[in-house]
Amino acid sequence: MAERLFVGEAEFLGGLTNEAELVKLCPEEFRDSENPWHERLRLLAVDGIVPGMAWSAVDEDELRVQKACLRGLYMSFGISQEDKNATAAWMLSCMMSPLASERNVSSVSGVSEINTPSLPRGVIK
């Protein structure tokens, strides 16, 4: 199912060529507005970063395609805002993973410390 996420093409004025298919395939868990990926999507859209997370793709071309698909879907006028949010949250969950420092929290003098380097602003371009 997730292999279909990044095969569409972003339309010039917004939208994704396979957005209707993705809306139908979107797992139900992402339709819940309390799903943590909705907040991560909001952080990315507003601040350009998602603290504690990093892009999963190591290939720059693959990441560029993923970002274009996410941007295209999010700029669509052809689907409802609820479908857009759910599907974009699903896409983002497949694009990002926790930083190693988020998985291994160290304690110094009884205080938890998490090293979370910032991602550059405006990562969806």
Side-chain angles (χ1 to χ4, degrees):
M1 213 166 34
E3 65 273 0
R4 301 291 306 151
L5 281 174
F6 306 108
V7 297
E9 293 182 28
E11 302 284 357
F12 180 70
L13 294 175
L16 196 58
T17 55
N18 66 336
E19 65 188 29
E21 175 189 7
L22 295 180
V23 167
K24 290 177 186 173
L25 292 173
C26 184
E28 195 62 35
E29 66 196 76
F30 292 100
R31 297 198 178 280
D32 178 0
S33 63
E34 297 300 314
N35 183 299
W37 286 102
H38 284 265
E39 177 61 14
R40 292 176 182 134
L41 183 63
R42 187 195 67 74
L43 288 169
L44 183 64
V46 173
D47 299 331
I49 62 168
V50 181
M53 303 296 287
W55 299 114
S56 298
V58 291
D59 180 72
E60 287 185 35
D61 289 334
E62 178 185 355
L63 182 58
R64 191 174 6 264
V65 167
Q66 290 178 354
K67 288 178 180 180
C69 288
L70 180 63
R71 182 181 61 247
L73 177 97
Y74 210 72
M75 293 177 64
S76 175
F77 293 102
I79 57 178
S80 71
Q81 190 65 44
E82 293 80 15
D83 286 339
K84 190 184 302 188
N85 289 341
T87 307
W90 176 36
M91 291 176 90
L92 189 62
S93 77
C94 294
M95 295 171 65
M96 301 193 93
S97 57
L99 291 168
S101 60
E102 286 292 307
R103 291 186 294 253
N104 301 310
V105 179
S106 63
S107 180
V108 179
S109 302
V111 177
S112 293
E113 179 179 26
I114 300 175
N115 180 16
T116 56
S118 296
L119 296 173
R121 289 187 58 83
V123 290
I124 298 182
K125 292 185 179 179

